[in-house]
Amino acid sequence: MRKFARWHIWLGWLVGLPVLMWTVTGLVMVWHPIEYVRGNHLRAELPPLETRALMMPRLGGPVKSVTLQSLYDGPGWIVVEANGARFRYSPQDGRLYNPVLESDARAIALAAYAGDAALDAITYYPADAAPLDLRTPVNSWQARFADDTLIYIHSQTGEVLAVRSGWWRVFDFMWGLHIMDLDAREDTSHPVLIIFAALGVAGSLLGCVLMFRRRKARVQAT
């Protein structure tokens, strides 16, 4: 039992900081509902979808999916090709939309934003240089508002890919600490995390053994 107690103390020192970090980051992540974290309160409602006199898109080959969507600059057929590429076609005449220009991205961002801050900047990001907080390697426009809200817009379809608020970035940093992956913040199964979690379990089990053994010893002594 003395060896168990010694191991328990050393494991406590070893995993104390990670356990505290998991507790603090978990507390921060549940501080607001997930809808608030995702910026739903900053996203305007989409306009109603007009379904009269629709024309199917003019496609030249097999695709994964074709969906009619309401977008902030009007309805559109969103076509996902076999290689994962997304394109938008007009529901009025079936033609392929041109890529979104900066002026188009500005108009979409203003229509999608439900806050009252001014639009500060529009920046284009190619897929191979996509920001970390977008989490999707696609060509996109980033609209930055004065309250530090970011709205990402698909450069080909005009879809709003993500709304990122200041609190989302706090949440994202805490999530990276929580899973011990500050680079990609997506790997929830890597050796460092598994080892510390296993050590935490071992320390807890040793603590339970010591608690019951000491309780039993006290009962026998009385």
Side-chain angles (χ1 to χ4, degrees):
M1 295 306 297
R2 289 182 179 178
K3 287 184 178 180
F4 278 0
R6 191 176 299 112
W7 292 344
H8 180 66
I9 292 172
W10 281 107
L11 284 174
W13 281 108
L14 184 61
V15 303
L17 182 58
V19 169
L20 177 62
M21 181 183 68
W22 290 332
T23 304
V24 172
T25 55
L27 175 62
V28 173
M29 288 191 293
V30 300
W31 195 260
H32 288 294
I34 191 62
E35 294 80 11
Y36 182 87
V37 175
R38 291 171 177 165
N40 290 359
H41 62 294
L42 297 171
R43 189 190 290 248
E45 291 187 9
L46 285 164
L49 186 61
E50 180 60 61
T51 59
R52 292 179 297 178
L54 296 178
M55 180 176 291
M56 289 295 294
R58 303 167 184 172
L59 304 176
V63 297
K64 284 186 177 180
S65 64
V66 179
T67 57
L68 180 64
Q69 295 188 21
S70 178
L71 304 170
Y72 287 104
D73 57 342
W77 292 106
I78 302 299
V79 176
V80 181
E81 296 189 342
N83 60 0
R86 299 175 72 89
F87 295 93
R88 177 180 174 184
Y89 291 79
S90 169
Q92 282 79 37
D93 56 17
R95 65 178 176 82
L96 175 66
Y97 270 83
N98 293 322
V100 176
L101 301 177
E102 180 178 347
S103 57
D104 302 324
R106 182 178 296 273
I108 294 171
L110 291 172
Y113 178 60
D116 53 9
L119 177 59
D120 282 347
I122 293 285
T123 307
Y124 176 78
Y125 287 95
D128 58 359
L132 176 63
D133 56 0
L134 177 56
R135 291 294 199 279
T136 306
V138 298
N139 300 329
S140 64
W141 289 98
Q142 180 200 77
R144 179 180 293 275
F145 289 83
D147 62 353
D148 210 23
T149 297
L150 303 177
I151 294 181
Y152 288 98
I153 300 164
H154 197 290
S155 67
Q156 181 64 47
T157 65
E159 296 171 283
V160 173
L161 299 171
V163 176
R164 304 305 192 204
S165 64
W167 184 257
W168 186 94
R169 286 184 284 279
V170 171
F171 180 97
D172 188 50
F173 180 73
M174 291 297 169
W175 169 250
L177 286 176
H178 198 74
I179 64 172
M180 298 183 173
D181 177 20
L182 284 174
D183 291 331
R185 300 177 189 177
E186 293 183 350
D187 189 358
T188 59
S189 179
H190 56 85
V192 174
L193 180 60
I194 293 172
I195 289 172
F196 275 107
L199 290 175
V201 171
S204 299
L205 291 176
L206 283 174
C208 292
V209 171
L210 291 170
M211 180 181 66
F212 285 110
R213 290 288 296 180
R214 288 178 180 177
R215 182 177 179 183
K216 183 178 179 180
R218 289 174 183 174
V219 171
Q220 291 176 348
T222 57

